[in-house]
Amino acid sequence: MMSLQPYLYAMISTLSVLQVFASDTYTAAVYEHAVILPDVTDKPVSLDEALVLMNRNIDVLEVAIKEAAQQGAHIIVTPEDSVYGWNFTREALYPYLEDIPDPQVNWIPCTDPQRFAPAPVQERLSCLARNNSIYVVANMGDKKPCNCSDPKCPRDGHYQYNTNVVFDSQGKLVARYHKYNLFRSETQFDYPKEPEMVTFNTSFGNFGIFTCFDILFHDPAVVLVKKLHVDTVLFPTAWMNVLPFLSAIEIHSAWAMGIGVNLLASNTHNTLMAMTGSGIYAPDGPRAYHYDMETENGHLLTTQLSSHPHLSPTYPAAVNWSSYATSIKQFHVDKNTFMGAVRSDNFTFTELITIAGNHTVCQKDLCCHLIYRMVEKREDEVYVLGAFDGLHGSVIKYYWQICTLLKCKTMDLKTCGQPVTTTQTRFEAFSLSGTFGTKYVFPEVLLSGVRLAPGEFQVLNDGCLKNNNGPAKLILTVTLFGRYYEKDPPHPLRNSP
């Protein structure tokens, strides 16, 4: 993990003392967009053909932006890949790219489109922000020329970056972020040489920005929150849901709660690729979210957030995630454990065979403790307590510590860890904790129908995740996701030629 000093900072404005007239709250919007995709081709289309497709997508985004502004939104986030889609070769992507300048140039594309021409997409996005008096966050492609004096310059003489841009309510370009953690299939893009810590300040809070896969890594995500102290993270994503743990609404909500920040997550919508799940999340739980695997429709979310959540009386207290689990007299460690795969991750599981009880299951240095009580023990459904302590991922690997209560797909224990969306088992009580070696732990509860459970659980300051008193709930998973950044291996692709 790198120290703070070598980072390439893209500080659009300095972190300042709260402004005298700053707002205590603001209205946020995210739009889940069903992207109009290009025809799959290895050959580049013309610039005019590329612009036609991008304008078709921006036409849809324009309707959402106008509606958000009419609802009083101060800022709207649109998804990753929402302007031109995906499945490009490097060569086929090139006609869709524009040269996006450093925001320090002080540029409003809407009023001065020729200054960095050609930039038709930036001009249109700028005008949408300016004409509707709203901050607009969008994802597009940036191209930067290079030559043989740069030993990392690609053979075609330019870099291609997956890029977020932000235009303020006057249409000014105020932020540009190049995605640092590319997903393994994003071979059409280049890795930035250093992680960019991009922030900008407004009258309604200090904002940071990153993209999709970035959320699972230390840089830039953790640095923005823990060292630069942003109030809200803007998060365009194209997230493919992977149950039981990596559904978009589940992991994004958990991350916002675990790290203590507002998160505006805008996902693309494509049910064939299991892409859905957008939300507006706060440190004390989700404010609004959308999950839809039934239709191909886009969806707009708007809601009010605290501008400075760390000053809010509802801001969660600091948590020592291993305190409870290491202090209690260890429950009987189950001998009837078995190994089960959650995708490629080998969990240690133990079955919950009674209507109520307490269990401990361990893997390597992680022991997970569970106390639970069901309304009834159904004969047609199986639940397990699981622990995972190891590297996740096939090509790009990163270290998880996970404690989870989850439903198995069928009565066959070999199906434990496979995707499940519904249940009939109600839990009256649960308490989950673990001996985590990391301070970065993200809690979440997922209910039947792939629904979140705002206000239905709490995390105590000793690291115990437990239900609140209330009606019994149909629970799919109760999970503590621990990210052990210090144990991540070197990235296998970022420094490749």
Side-chain angles (χ1 to χ4, degrees):
M1 196 179 305
M2 300 169 63
S3 64
L4 190 60
Q5 285 74 21
Y7 285 132
L8 171 62
Y9 286 96
M11 300 293 288
I12 309 308
S13 59
T14 58
L15 294 172
S16 61
V17 178
L18 296 179
Q19 299 177 14
V20 175
F21 299 106
S23 302
D24 292 331
T25 62
Y26 71 100
T27 300
V30 301
Y31 182 64
E32 182 162 308
H33 175 41
V35 182
I36 303 168
L37 299 174
D39 296 330
V40 177
T41 177
D42 293 336
K43 297 181 179 180
V45 299
S46 69
L47 294 176
D48 288 341
E49 289 174 299
L51 186 58
V52 167
L53 175 73
M54 291 190 286
N55 275 326
R56 289 178 65 198
N57 277 302
I58 297 174
D59 287 344
V60 179
L61 299 181
E62 179 176 1
V63 174
I65 291 167
K66 288 181 175 179
E67 183 179 346
Q70 290 169 0
Q71 294 183 27
H74 295 78
I75 189 168
I76 182 171
V77 182
T78 60
E80 183 183 23
D81 298 331
S82 62
V83 172
Y84 47 64
W86 51 84
N87 286 336
F88 291 101
T89 63
R90 180 180 179 86
E91 295 76 17
L93 179 65
Y94 188 75
Y96 298 86
L97 306 178
E98 294 184 3
D99 191 339
I100 305 171
D102 189 314
Q104 293 182 3
V105 299
N106 192 27
W107 181 40
I108 301 177
C110 186
T111 60
D112 189 9
Q114 297 305 311
R115 184 178 174 192
F116 296 98
V121 172
Q122 293 174 82
E123 178 185 352
R124 188 165 180 197
L125 293 171
S126 169
C127 289
L128 285 173
R130 183 179 179 87
N131 295 340
N132 293 282
S133 300
I134 187 173
Y135 279 70
V136 171
V137 183
N139 177 265
M140 57 184 295
D142 187 13
K143 59 184 179 181
K144 289 288 178 282
C146 57
N147 56 46
C148 59
S149 65
D150 178 356
K152 292 187 177 181
C153 181
R155 294 178 180 178
D156 53 15
H158 64 271
Y159 290 104
Q160 299 185 173
Y161 297 119
N162 181 330
T163 307
N164 295 334
V165 290
V166 183
F167 297 93
D168 71 10
S169 57
Q170 297 299 312
K172 179 181 174 181
L173 178 67
V174 295
R176 180 195 67 186
Y177 168 73
H178 296 137
K179 185 178 181 181
Y180 186 61
N181 295 287
L182 297 174
F183 195 58
R184 61 179 181 269
S185 60
E186 292 185 274
T187 56
Q188 70 271 37
F189 291 113
D190 297 300
Y191 285 96
K193 295 177 181 178
E194 299 287 349
E196 300 172 351
M197 306 299 145
V198 177
T199 71
F200 62 96
N201 205 27
T202 74
S203 62
F204 50 95
N206 190 49
F207 289 76
I209 189 167
F210 53 75
T211 313
C212 202
F213 204 37
D214 284 325
I215 201 170
L216 297 178
F217 297 88
H218 187 275
D219 306 332
V222 175
V223 175
L224 284 175
V225 179
K226 295 300 184 182
K227 294 187 177 180
L228 300 184
H229 307 292
V230 298
D231 300 303
T232 298
V233 169
L234 308 172
F235 183 59
T237 184
W239 196 278
M240 291 176 284
N241 289 279
V242 183
L243 291 168
F245 300 135
L246 289 177
S247 65
I249 59 172
E250 178 183 19
I251 194 66
H252 301 160
S253 176
W255 189 86
M257 286 187 284
I259 207 159
V261 74
N262 294 332
L263 180 70
L264 310 188
S266 173
N267 200 3
T268 55
H269 190 88
N270 186 304
T271 58
L272 290 177
M273 298 187 68
M275 288 179 171
T276 185
S278 300
I280 300 173
Y281 308 108
D284 58 348
R287 291 291 185 269
Y289 71 93
H290 174 73
Y291 179 94
D292 172 22
M293 283 293 291
E294 303 300 322
T295 77
E296 294 301 332
N297 301 326
H299 190 82
L300 177 69
L301 294 170
T302 60
T303 194
Q304 197 170 75
L305 284 175
S306 172
S307 298
H308 309 286
H310 60 285
L311 300 179
S312 169
T314 62
Y315 190 75
V319 176
N320 183 333
W321 286 103
S322 62
S323 177
Y324 178 81
T326 55
S327 66
I328 64 172
K329 182 179 180 181
Q330 183 167 294
F331 303 144
H332 174 71
V333 178
D334 291 77
K335 295 181 179 179
N336 296 322
T337 60
F338 62 95
M339 301 302 293
V342 181
R343 292 179 67 84
S344 60
D345 299 334
N346 291 317
F347 276 66
T348 303
F349 288 126
T350 187
E351 183 182 356
L352 310 186
I353 59 175
T354 59
I355 193 171
N358 53 61
H359 294 272
T360 295
V361 64
C362 299
Q363 186 177 108
K364 297 182 183 176
D365 295 330
L366 178 66
C367 285
C368 303
H369 305 313
L370 173 70
I371 304 172
Y372 73 95
R373 184 172 65 254
M374 304 174 187
V375 173
E376 64 173 334
K377 179 67 176 73
R378 295 179 61 91
E379 298 300 321
D380 58 347
E381 295 188 334
V382 173
Y383 279 79
V384 293
L385 170 65
F388 176 75
D389 188 358
L391 289 171
H392 168 84
S394 54
V395 178
I396 303 170
K397 298 182 182 296
Y398 45 101
Y399 207 99
W400 282 110
Q401 287 188 321
I402 298 175
C403 291
T404 185
L405 160 67
L406 64 82
K407 182 197 172 187
C408 302
K409 186 173 183 179
T410 71
M411 298 296 292
D412 184 349
L413 295 180
K414 294 180 181 179
T415 68
C416 297
Q418 294 182 16
V420 180
T421 59
T422 61
T423 184
Q424 297 299 317
T425 299
R426 295 182 181 273
F427 282 77
E428 290 182 337
F430 62 80
S431 174
L432 180 66
S433 61
T435 57
F436 292 96
T438 175
K439 62 182 179 181
Y440 296 106
V441 180
F442 311 110
E444 190 52 271
V445 175
L446 199 63
L447 303 181
S448 184
V450 193
R451 296 177 297 114
L452 299 180
E456 301 294 340
F457 65 91
Q458 61 179 314
V459 177
L460 305 183
N461 57 16
D462 61 6
C464 187
L465 169 60
K466 61 180 297 185
N467 66 295
N468 288 329
N469 294 330
K473 299 298 179 184
L474 296 168
I475 288 178
L476 290 178
T477 62
V478 177
T479 308
L480 292 169
F481 306 91
R483 266 296 277 121
Y484 214 142
Y485 301 109
E486 294 87 347
K487 290 192 174 185
D488 286 356
H491 196 287
L493 302 177
R494 186 173 289 122
N495 296 318
S496 298

